[in-house]
Amino acid sequence: MLAPPHAGCYAVALAAVAFSRPRPLYSSLFQHRSLAFSSRASLRFILSAGMEHFSTKGSMDKNEGLVEQLKHYGMIKSDKVAEVMQIVDRGLFVPEGSPAYVDSPMPIGYNATISAPHMHATCLELLEEHLQPGMRALDVGSGTGYLTACFAMMVGPQGRTVGVEHIPELVASSINSIERSAASSLLNEGSLSVHAADGRKGWPELAPYDAIHVGAASPDIPRALLEQLKPGGRMVIPVGNFFQNLKVVDKNDDGSVHVYSEASVRFVPLTSRAAQLQDY
Ligand code: SAH
């Protein structure tokens, strides 16, 4: 079952992987509730119930619990990605009252969503080699700023991370969230910045980038973003309209490009501000 278009990203393939894994921790819960593992919603319920089960202290404990669950179900394989997702508390980035530590996208206003944790983990893992200390990262459609903060933690103070988001209110709230997060010093010292602009044009001032992430689905791969990708760099971008694929775009040292599809996904569209806010 697909999430509605405004519900944000949704990795069908990854969800299927999750359902095929053993889950002894939840077997009694599963029997008790008579739930079937046939939809994404059941995974969400199980993860959220699991969070409550073993983690009720502080928000960082719950964040750690979420990361542990993602590791347990094979959604996070990299220690580095686990570490950064533990350090950057997702709870600081979701709107107040939203269940922050559930593996689901959440509305953040303005017809936008924060992506599900497993999708953040997937994008971080796909980009990990291109987010080494000192490298440059561009996050297009940075929304809440969660992933932008993770990128900044990975490339560190010698690196440079830029978020581009076209809703000024989201830019303001993302900066507020980052200021309260583990990435605050990077923001204050200037290795991390977030700008209100049309991300389809990238952010040429700081190009070329080792890593480009696009957090909204584009009908095609924007030429400006391809141009701003460094030879040897990688872009991760959802491409499509209703049916979308998470594409991994590698630019070779000679400038040629190799593209493959990682998973079927569901993201909000990369579009104009007016189109996004039309029914809002
Ligand atoms: N990675 C973000 C995703 C937010 S949803 C997160 O997890 O928080 C996608 C975001 O892309 C929305 O905030 C939306 O406002 C933004 N967006 C859509 N089209 C855009 C464009 N042309 N330029 C910049 N941002 C855009």
Side-chain angles (χ1 to χ4, degrees), residues 7 21 29 43 60 63 69 139 163 178 201 205 253-254:
R21 287 174 194 272
L29 184 89
L43 178 65
M60 279 308 272
N63 195 59
Q69 287 303 298
D139 187 18
I178 293 167
K201 298 180 182 149
E205 286 88 329
D253 289 335
D254 64 4

Side-chain angles (χ1 to χ4, degrees), residues 191-211:
S191 68
L192 160 58
S193 58
V194 187
H195 307 272
D198 185 346
R200 293 172 292 189
K201 298 180 182 149
W203 193 256
E205 286 88 329
L206 289 166
Y209 299 95
D210 299 279

Side-chain angles (χ1 to χ4, degrees), residues 3-10 44 104-107 112-116 266-268:
H6 60 273
C9 68
Y10 179 90
R44 281 183 208 149
S104 171
M106 307 272 161
T113 57
I114 181 170
S115 301
R266 201 72 201 282
F267 281 72
V268 300

